[in-house]
């Protein structure tokens, strides 16, 4: 059997697949961040908390109302998005004209409040959420045992990510959105309700985070701090991809998952830092990010 | 010298001696007994120590009557965020500004080692209930700290020995990459090898890690019979969950959780954890006394105590009783009194504090119950055997502690 860098190819394939699965989480989360930043100019630091809220909404729904996984997959993002829209209408809206820093501080503060409250109510060690029955078990792919649920994550997040990209870059609605951020006054003059468009965009970005949360619930513990552990990494992904670039954030998310996965094989101690290393290199070589346009 | 002069001199000298002992008894710094509680209050270890441990500390203060020999007891607390620099700075500030007499709690081993240095420098007392690293009473031992509940040596000798003796000879270690993980890994490797097993491979993962699938896959590929988890808190629960998802046990590999707390099993549920063997310093449902104390704790917090939270109460109570008996809060006098008195309470029977700071008491090898055998939410363990303290902890003859005379 030939070996690549001292590791049998089957093992390597397995690790790359695992990397892709994690990468699809990064993609889903960084996509939401990129949309919100690209179209609203807000650095949404409560994204991690909103991801956690998605997972908790699914858990609470199942625990208290018997809402099953498939319904939660739709319902939880809608509920969390409604909460996001409320925040946008009451708080964020006031900051669009200010420096980025204000939006960052506000959303960071909100994240701390939300996470703190959930730690207070549910404790930090988290709650278990069972894998839905139809997705239990797994397939032996020859080179690895792939749990069905992990396979589902890749499919679901890729469909959502590329669907979103298509909607923003290739449809009329997407064109309105992009135009609305380029020149809101002109769009208003054409009779388009720009503030509503922006509110819905924020809601959609938040819904993406919540969807990632529901997808994550069965494989991680549903815990109040699950988002804060992930958020910084996801920000690094967005920076590498190019702030605000939709396609960039999706592809970079998958790529970073792969790189992290391979690091876990060759030098596991560095697996939590490798993405930041890549970020530093990219910032030195291409300050606007891999897919960003130079200002 | 005349007889009268001799007599006079003796009288003066004995009077002086008497005053000096008198000066010590009844002497309290600031006229108060000031204790501090340092722990992870919000992060990955807060469920096993955190606010619950603070509540246990408050119970101890109330149970001793809120004051000792007429001196009021006050308590301060802080979140060390599992960061050694934050913990050490906080304790330094407490000692310099708030004049605390002792600190209890203390979880992440890296924090404890840093704090113990400060406590030794300033001649105060630290009672460590949360940390695991056996190095705290070995190469990092200090005369001012006492390690109360458990350590990695005891965990390895309890769990790893039992698993190897049942036939789990080849091991894959999954280790948290910091002081505690390294100490546990080292202790486990030694036990496995001494009992005729071998370590096939190991991976050190960053602390904390949220996704373990890659590591579990590596463990699966290694072909080892046993996957040893030398990590704690959320890292352990996530490892166990991922292992169950990837069908590790169905494929014939066995998991050995070296450090599992009651709250981990409670939050993961019996379905994922059943059959897991673990070593613990305390289980609430073991004797009349443990049940009685735990019930009181439950009424205040809504949760059953972990061994760490029970240990915080036990260690503080022992401290308070020593202050009471010595009638001072002066560090060395209290420490001496604590060492001279065996620990006898709901937590430990005939526990003794060794010169290296280890509180030696019986440990318990337990097994997580099957869902069908559990009668209520907190009915989680079956105690398989009591491991006598002298067997569980590192003998002084193997110690590298500078305080141990050889």
């Amino acid at each position: 059997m030939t070996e690549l860098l001292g590791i049998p190819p089957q093992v390597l394939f397995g690790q790359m697949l695992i990397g892709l699965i994690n990468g699809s989480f990064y993609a889903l989360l960084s996509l939401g961040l990129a949309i919100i930043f690209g179209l609203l100019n807000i650095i949404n630091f409560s994204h991690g908390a909103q991801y956690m809220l998605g997972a908790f909404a699914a858990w609470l729904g199942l625990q208290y109302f018997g809402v099953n996984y498939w319904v939660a997959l739709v319902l939880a993002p809608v509920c969390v998005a409604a909460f996001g829209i409320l925040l946008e209408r009451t708080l964020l809206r006031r900051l669009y004209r200010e420096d980025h820093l204000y939006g960052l501080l506000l959303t960071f503060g909100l994240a701390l409040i939300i996470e703190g409250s959930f730690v207070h109510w549910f404790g930090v060690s988290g709650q278990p959420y069972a894998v839905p029955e139809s997705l239990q078990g797994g397939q032996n792919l020859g080179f690895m045992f792939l749990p069905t649920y992990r396979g589902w994550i890749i499919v679901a997040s890729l469909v959502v990510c590329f669907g979103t990209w298509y909607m923003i870059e290739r449809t009329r609605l997407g064109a309105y959105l992009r135009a609305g951020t380029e020149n809101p006054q002109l769009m208003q003059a054409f009779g388009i309700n720009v503030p509503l468009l922006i509110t819905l965009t924020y809601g959609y970005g938040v819904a993406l985070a919540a969807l990632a949360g529901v997808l994550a619930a069965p494989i991680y513990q549903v815990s109040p701090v699950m988002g804060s552990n992930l958020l910084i990494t996801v920000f690094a992904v967005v920076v590498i991809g190019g702030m605000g670039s939709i396609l960039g954030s999706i592809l970079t998310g998958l790529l970073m998952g792969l790189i992290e996965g391979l690091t876990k094989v060759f030098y596991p101690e560095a697996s939590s830092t490798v993405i930041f290393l890549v970020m530093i290199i990219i910032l030195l070589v291409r300050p606007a990010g891999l897919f960003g346009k130079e200002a | 010298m005349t007889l009268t002069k001799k007599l006079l001199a003796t009288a003066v000298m004995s009077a002086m001696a008497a005053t000096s002992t008198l000066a010590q008894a009844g002497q309290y710094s600031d006229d108060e007994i000031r204790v501090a509680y340092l722990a992870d209050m919000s992060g990955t270890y807060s469920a096993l120590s955190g606010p619950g441990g603070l509540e246990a500390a408050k119970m101890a203060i109330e149970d001793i009557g809120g004051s000792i020999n007429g001196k009021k007891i006050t308590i301060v607390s802080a979140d060390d965020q599992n960061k050694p620099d934050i913990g050490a700075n906080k304790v330094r500030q407490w000692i310099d500004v708030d004049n605390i007499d002792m600190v209890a709690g203390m979880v992440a081993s890296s924090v404890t080692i840093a704090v113990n240095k400060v406590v030794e420098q300033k001649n105060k007392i630290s009672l460590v209930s949360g940390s695991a690293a056996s190095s705290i009473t070995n190469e990092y031992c200090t005369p001012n700290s006492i390690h109360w509940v458990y350590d990695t040596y005891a965990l390895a000798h309890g769990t790893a020995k039992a698993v190897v003796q049942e036939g789990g000879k080849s091991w894959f270690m999954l280790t948290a990459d910091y002081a505690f993980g390294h100490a546990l890994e080292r202790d486990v490797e030694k036990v496995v090898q001494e009992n005729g097993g071998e370590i096939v491979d190991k991976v050190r993962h960053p602390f904390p890690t949220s996704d373990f699938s890659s590591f579990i896959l590596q463990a699966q590929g290694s072909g080892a019979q046993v996957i040893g988890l030398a990590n704690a808190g959320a890292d352990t629960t996530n490892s166990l969950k991922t292992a169950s998802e990837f069908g590790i046990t169905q494929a014939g590999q066995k998991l050995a959780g070296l450090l599992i707390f009651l709250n981990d099993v409670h939050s993961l549920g019996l379905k994922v954890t059943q059959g897991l063997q673990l070593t613990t310093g305390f289980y609430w449902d073991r004797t009349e006394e443990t049940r009685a104390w735990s019930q009181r704790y439950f009424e205040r917090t809504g949760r059953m105590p972990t061994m760490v939270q029970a240990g915080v109460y036990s260690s503080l109570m022992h401290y308070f009783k020593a202050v009471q008996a010595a009638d001072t809060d002066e560090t060395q006098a209290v420490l001496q009194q604590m060492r001279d008195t065996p620990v006898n309470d709901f937590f430990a029977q005939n526990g003794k504090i060794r010169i290296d700071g280890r509180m030696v008491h019986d440990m318990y090898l337990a097994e997580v119950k099957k869902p069908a055998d559990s009668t209520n939410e907190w009915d989680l363990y079956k105690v398989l055997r009591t491991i006598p303290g002298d067997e569980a902890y590192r003998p002084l003859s193997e110690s590298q502690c500078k305080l141990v005379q050889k």
Side-chain angles (χ1 to χ4, degrees):
Chain A
M1 172 68 67
T2 48
E3 295 195 343
L4 291 165
L5 305 162
I7 290 187
Q10 297 103 307
V11 176
L12 213 55
F13 285 145
Q15 295 295 343
M16 285 165 77
L17 190 58
I18 292 282
L20 270 184
I21 297 170
N22 287 335
S24 50
F25 273 116
Y26 292 153
L28 209 52
L29 283 167
S30 60
L31 175 65
L33 274 181
I35 290 175
I36 294 173
F37 180 76
L39 303 177
L40 278 75
N41 260 334
I42 290 280
I43 301 174
N44 187 28
F45 248 85
S46 46
H47 214 65
Q50 284 149 351
Y51 159 80
M52 177 273 285
L53 282 177
F56 259 99
W59 179 80
L60 288 168
L62 183 67
Q63 198 73 9
Y64 295 105
F65 307 104
V67 176
N68 75 24
Y69 174 81
W70 301 103
V71 179
L73 214 49
V74 179
L75 205 59
V78 169
C79 294
V80 180
F83 175 67
I85 286 173
L86 186 75
L87 291 181
E88 197 273 343
R89 286 260 143 168
T90 50
L91 298 167
L92 274 178
R93 164 147 304 188
R94 298 157 204 278
L95 297 174
Y96 292 145
R97 282 173 224 291
E98 307 291 337
D99 191 78
H100 291 324
L101 203 57
Y102 289 88
L104 186 154
L105 286 175
L106 176 74
T107 49
F108 185 52
L110 286 172
L112 291 180
I113 293 172
I114 297 170
E115 284 182 3
S117 318
F118 274 72
V119 167
H120 178 73
W121 291 325
F122 299 102
V124 79
S125 50
Q127 309 289 342
Y129 189 94
V131 173
E133 215 142 282
S134 47
L135 295 177
Q136 276 174 5
Q139 302 289 318
N140 200 332
L141 303 181
F143 57 91
M144 71 173 284
F145 175 87
L146 177 71
T148 313
Y149 190 80
R150 301 253 173 181
W152 154 249
I153 290 177
I154 297 198
V155 175
S157 66
L158 286 187
V159 167
V160 172
C161 283
F162 285 101
T164 305
W165 169 79
Y166 186 84
M167 187 182 78
I168 293 178
E169 300 287 342
R170 294 282 184 273
T171 65
R172 183 169 286 269
L173 179 68
Y176 284 159
L177 265 176
R178 282 175 289 137
T181 46
E182 284 288 316
N183 195 333
Q185 281 87 4
L186 195 65
M187 286 301 282
Q188 294 269 37
F190 280 125
I192 308 269
N193 187 346
V194 174
L196 178 69
L197 217 51
I198 288 186
T199 305
L200 290 178
T201 308
Y202 186 76
Y204 187 74
V206 172
L208 283 178
L211 178 69
V214 183
L215 285 174
I219 54 171
Y220 305 129
Q221 283 289 87
V222 177
S223 136
V225 292
M226 64 194 287
S228 50
N229 295 340
L230 207 58
L231 185 68
I232 304 296
T233 316
V234 174
F235 264 109
V237 171
V238 175
V239 172
I240 296 168
M243 294 290 280
S245 162
I246 306 288
L247 192 60
S249 67
I250 301 173
L251 296 180
T252 317
L254 294 171
L255 186 68
M256 288 306 116
L258 262 184
I259 291 181
E260 197 185 57
L262 291 176
T263 315
K264 281 179 175 167
V265 182
F266 293 111
Y267 190 58
E269 288 89 337
S271 57
S272 60
T273 36
V274 66
I275 289 181
F276 301 99
L277 198 68
V278 174
M279 183 181 82
I280 292 170
I281 295 170
I282 295 291
L283 285 179
L284 286 174
V285 182
R286 274 184 71 94
L290 283 178
F291 296 85
K293 297 185 191 73
E294 303 279 345
Chain B
M1 198 186 279
T2 62
L3 188 65
T4 11
K5 269 189 181 163
K6 255 188 194 167
L7 272 175
L8 202 63
T10 326
V12 168
M13 268 162 68
S14 55
M16 274 165 69
T19 10
S20 79
T21 39
L22 272 180
Q24 208 172 53
Q27 196 179 64
Y28 291 84
S29 53
D30 314 294
D31 235 25
E32 268 183 4
I33 297 148
R34 294 186 180 170
V35 302
Y37 174 78
L38 182 76
D40 175 1
M41 296 297 272
S42 56
T44 176
Y45 297 154
S46 62
L48 64 95
S49 57
L54 182 60
E55 202 56 37
K58 287 180 181 160
M59 273 171 79
I61 296 175
E62 284 168 28
D63 288 352
I64 200 82
S67 62
I68 297 170
N69 300 334
K71 309 293 175 194
K72 195 165 164 263
I73 306 171
T74 59
I75 183 164
V76 286
S77 69
D79 185 356
D80 61 31
Q81 299 169 36
N82 295 327
K83 293 185 178 122
D85 51 331
I86 294 186
N89 281 335
K90 190 73 216 176
V91 170
R92 187 172 287 121
Q93 182 204 328
W94 272 339
I95 295 174
D96 289 345
V97 179
D98 302 306
N99 291 324
I100 60 155
D101 298 309
M102 62 85 68
V103 52
M106 300 160 76
V107 193
S109 298
S110 43
V111 177
T112 300
I113 290 166
V115 167
N116 279 355
K117 272 190 199 130
V118 177
V119 169
E120 183 185 12
Q121 261 171 25
K122 308 268 181 186
N123 191 29
K124 299 291 174 188
I125 300 174
S126 71
L127 302 180
V128 183
S129 287
S131 304
S134 62
S135 51
I136 292 169
T137 55
N138 200 29
E139 60 261 43
Y140 298 116
C141 76
T142 83
N144 295 59
S145 52
I146 299 172
H147 199 179
W148 206 262
V149 178
Y150 68 104
D151 66 18
T152 51
Y153 188 94
L155 296 173
H157 280 252
T159 314
K161 203 168 162 185
V163 172
V164 178
Q165 283 172 351
E166 277 170 23
K169 296 285 183 197
S170 61
W171 284 59
F172 181 98
M173 293 299 295
L174 184 55
T175 305
D177 193 17
Y178 75 106
F180 146 70
H182 299 172
L184 186 51
E185 182 191 272
R186 201 167 51 232
D187 289 339
V188 169
E189 280 181 9
K190 203 160 161 255
V191 172
V192 169
Q193 281 155 3
E194 277 170 5
N195 287 279
E198 57 160 344
I199 306 289
V200 184
D201 204 354
K202 59 183 167 190
V203 165
R204 289 183 168 176
H205 69 78
F207 164 70
T209 291
S210 56
D211 185 71
F212 281 88
S213 47
S214 167
F215 304 126
I216 291 294
L217 212 59
Q218 290 179 43
Q220 202 165 27
S222 74
Q225 293 167 311
V226 182
I227 302 172
L229 304 176
N231 49 22
D235 286 341
T236 304
T237 51
N238 276 327
S239 312
L240 287 169
K241 217 173 166 185
T242 309
S244 132
E245 192 194 349
F246 278 79
I248 290 288
T249 41
Q250 288 91 317
Q253 279 175 309
K254 200 175 160 62
L255 287 158
L258 276 322
L259 178 50
I260 307 267
F261 292 98
L262 190 71
N263 60 295
D264 298 331
V265 174
H266 182 254
S267 85
L268 278 169
L270 294 179
K271 216 174 144 206
V272 175
T273 50
Q274 57 181 304
L276 201 67
Q277 290 190 350
L278 55 97
T279 303
T280 184
F282 173 83
Y283 177 52
W284 71 270
D285 195 9
R286 198 177 60 80
T287 65
E288 264 327 299
E289 288 91 24
T290 59
R291 274 187 287 274
W293 184 83
S294 304
Q295 196 54 44
R296 281 174 52 216
Y297 177 88
F298 183 83
E299 276 154 23
R300 296 171 72 120
T301 60
R303 303 178 66 83
M304 280 299 173
T306 62
M307 59 170 161
V308 173
Q309 289 152 348
V312 168
Y313 178 97
S314 168
S315 62
L316 267 174
M317 208 43 153
H318 194 67
Y319 170 82
F320 290 148
K321 285 183 180 158
V323 171
Q324 200 162 36
D327 193 19
T328 176
D329 61 2
E330 195 275 321
T331 298
Q332 292 308 327
V334 175
L335 276 173
Q336 194 55 48
Q337 182 67 35
M338 288 179 83
R339 289 202 191 97
D340 290 346
T341 324
V343 184
N344 271 311
D345 57 10
F346 72 100
F347 180 86
Q349 287 74 50
N350 241 341
K352 49 183 186 293
I353 300 163
R354 292 195 314 210
I355 184 73
D356 60 351
R358 181 66 250 168
M359 201 281 269
V360 175
H361 62 103
D362 294 350
M363 299 289 288
Y364 307 95
L365 181 69
E367 188 178 84
V368 177
K369 287 190 171 177
K370 293 189 178 64
D373 299 338
S374 163
T375 54
N376 65 61
E377 193 192 353
W378 292 96
D379 182 17
L380 301 172
Y381 297 171
K382 188 168 81 190
V383 175
L384 298 178
R385 105 183 172 91
T386 301
I387 308 162
D390 292 324
E391 188 188 315
Y393 289 102
R394 187 198 316 273
L396 283 177
S397 57
E398 288 175 22
S399 176
Q400 295 168 32
C401 169
K402 59 187 187 249
L403 304 165
V404 176
Q405 308 250 318
K406 287 212 176 143

